[in-house]
Amino acid sequence: MKTRLILLFASFSLLFTLGCELSTKRFSSQGLTVTGNIGEILVVCDKGIWDSQIKNHLDTGLTRWIMPYFPDVATFELVHKTPELFDQGVKRFRNTLFIIIDPEYKGDKARIEKRMNVWAHGQIVIDIIGKDYNQVLAVCAEGLDAVHAEFDRMEWKRILNNFSREVNVNVDREIKKNFGLKLALPDGAKIVTKRANFYRVEFPSASRPIEFVGTGTQDEGTIYSGLMIYQYDFKDSSQFILENLLTARDTMLKYNVPHETEGLYMGTQYAKMVYPEGNTMSNQKGNLRGYEMRGMFVFTGRPIHSTGGAFWSFHFVHPNRKKMICVSGYVDAPSTTSWTHPLREIQAILKSVELDK
């Protein structure tokens, strides 16, 4: 298994740290939508390149892990096509990477170039171009952090843009009134718990393929997801310490998220391998900074412990209301199906947060 890496949210400016010439080209895609699965990067290159050491660097640089979930949640998986097969099929893959060896290329180092909306709206295409194998190998071996960051940013941004077009008038009005927030939510979202300092919003259930190891067969597994929003008085910056955020979270959940089994309620998993992690975060517009936290939840209490899932939270201070606010998405899904898609949806919602009066 690959070494698990913490997902770092790099800014666009990191693309210039590659030591290569980089430019961005935009095309008209005539409104066509992207294809391919969320969490996939299509790599287009000759089979000899795919079977070479370059593939190892692509795998290390672009296949990373959103921590600290179990089972592992990958940011991306790589899918390969030769140029010939790519030209014969659909070209609207959402994330596409071309590895190109061009003997006519004149640069001293391989170049990395980004193209937007080439064959579909919202598509990102990145080209790595060198005059020979060694040039391409060298730039891949230097690290692909910025390339990963660009694919990563577009993955949640597409979802955010889709959610922004949905209309949830009543839900939006209630959240704005009670918390002074604007969020982009999926169609069909509904408030199922409404208290002065705590709301829970439930999303429509979704079905994703379940892969049974060793059988090659698939079935459908239902994924339940939603959002919790809670607030409490802001006193000082010590409230942003991870342990203090966890204490506040567990208190809020104990009294507001009971399980259908009497005596059980939602809590946080503190096992070493899934102990919550966090770092600073900002919303899409960059005008609201706070602290994100990722981890696992479990239904706990008497008489037994029950199953749980993943959570991803964004904590910040509402300056006009002097409140500490937490927007926390959760995913409850079978461990046999990928959590990448629903967690990306949660990430997009957290990025969409805007303040209202």
Side-chain angles (χ1 to χ4, degrees):
M1 180 180 292
K2 310 174 190 71
T3 303
R4 308 209 317 172
L5 301 172
I6 297 176
L7 172 62
L8 299 177
F9 298 97
S11 66
F12 174 77
S13 62
L14 284 178
L15 283 167
F16 296 95
T17 67
L18 291 172
C20 305
E21 177 187 353
L22 185 143
S23 59
T24 301
K25 297 180 180 179
R26 296 184 180 275
F27 299 78
S28 174
S29 56
Q30 301 179 343
L32 297 174
T33 57
V34 295
T35 62
N37 296 323
I38 289 175
E40 286 183 349
I41 297 174
L42 177 67
V43 181
V44 182
C45 65
D46 292 331
K47 189 174 186 300
I49 294 176
W50 183 250
D51 293 335
S52 74
Q53 191 176 353
I54 289 176
K55 164 64 164 52
N56 296 332
H57 291 300
L58 295 177
D59 205 30
T60 300
L62 302 178
T63 302
R64 306 190 179 188
W65 306 100
I66 306 176
M67 300 285 280
Y69 301 121
F70 183 81
D72 294 327
V73 178
T75 53
F76 296 105
E77 294 181 2
L78 305 183
V79 179
H80 174 246
K81 276 193 175 183
T82 63
E84 294 76 18
L85 285 177
F86 179 80
D87 288 338
Q88 295 170 13
V90 176
K91 299 180 179 180
R92 295 182 285 115
F93 288 88
R94 62 185 65 234
N95 306 307
T96 304
L97 175 68
F98 283 91
I99 309 295
I100 303 168
I101 294 178
D102 180 5
E104 302 298 320
Y105 176 69
K106 302 301 183 183
D108 295 330
K109 298 183 66 175
R111 182 177 80 242
I112 300 179
E113 180 178 88
K114 182 177 73 171
R115 296 183 282 161
M116 297 298 300
N117 307 321
V118 183
W119 292 285
H121 178 71
Q123 182 185 40
I124 177 172
V125 177
I126 293 181
D127 304 314
I128 300 179
I129 307 169
K131 68 179 179 181
D132 55 33
Y133 174 86
N134 289 332
Q135 270 198 353
V136 174
L137 176 63
V139 74
C140 291
E142 286 178 9
L144 298 171
D145 289 351
V147 174
H148 180 272
E150 281 297 287
F151 282 127
D152 187 84
R153 176 176 174 272
M154 280 303 299
E155 200 72 308
W156 59 257
K157 190 174 180 180
R158 290 188 202 95
I159 300 172
L160 190 159
N161 290 338
N162 288 337
F163 284 176
S164 296
R165 291 191 287 268
E166 303 295 346
V167 178
N168 295 279
V169 177
N170 294 331
V171 175
D172 294 343
R173 184 191 303 117
E174 289 286 341
I175 292 174
K176 180 179 178 180
K177 178 180 178 181
N178 201 66
F179 297 99
L181 301 179
K182 296 179 181 178
L183 302 172
L185 297 172
D187 184 38
K190 61 181 180 181
I191 300 173
V192 294
T193 301
K194 185 168 67 174
R195 296 171 182 168
N197 291 319
F198 185 95
Y199 277 19
R200 184 167 73 88
V201 181
E202 194 173 84
F203 303 155
S205 59
S207 292
R208 307 272 188 253
I210 297 178
E211 297 183 5
F212 294 95
V213 178
T215 66
T217 60
Q218 291 188 334
D219 199 345
E220 291 293 316
T222 301
I223 295 176
Y224 299 98
S225 59
L227 197 72
M228 297 178 291
I229 310 171
Y230 57 84
Q231 63 185 358
Y232 48 95
D233 292 339
F234 175 70
K235 298 176 182 178
D236 56 59
S237 60
S238 68
Q239 290 173 276
F240 279 99
I241 296 173
L242 179 62
E243 299 305 322
N244 292 338
L245 293 174
L246 289 169
T247 298
R249 171 186 172 83
D250 287 337
T251 300
M252 280 289 183
L253 299 187
K254 181 176 181 179
Y255 293 104
N256 292 287
V257 193
H259 190 267
E260 60 186 9
T261 302
E262 186 176 356
L264 294 180
Y265 57 88
M266 183 181 281
T268 306
Q269 287 200 49
Y270 291 106
K272 184 177 180 180
M273 69 179 301
V274 294
Y275 196 91
E277 297 182 2
N279 50 265
T280 58
M281 171 185 166
S282 62
N283 62 351
Q284 178 190 215
K285 292 186 175 180
N287 57 6
L288 178 63
R289 292 187 62 81
Y291 190 87
E292 69 168 334
M293 184 167 65
R294 301 177 303 277
M296 302 282 291
F297 71 84
V298 64
F299 283 96
T300 187
R302 295 181 179 180
I304 58 173
H305 284 62
S306 184
T307 58
F311 73 86
W312 196 335
S313 303
F314 181 31
H315 307 79
F316 53 90
V317 176
H318 196 303
N320 301 326
R321 300 190 174 202
K322 306 300 181 186
K323 293 286 187 179
M324 173 76 88
I325 296 181
C326 175
V327 180
S328 183
Y330 63 89
V331 174
D332 187 355
S335 60
T336 46
T337 190
S338 172
W339 296 3
T340 300
H341 188 155
L343 280 171
R344 284 295 195 182
E345 292 181 341
I346 297 300
Q347 181 188 18
I349 294 169
L350 301 186
K351 288 287 188 179
S352 78
V353 174
E354 294 184 41
L355 296 180
D356 196 74
K357 294 182 180 180

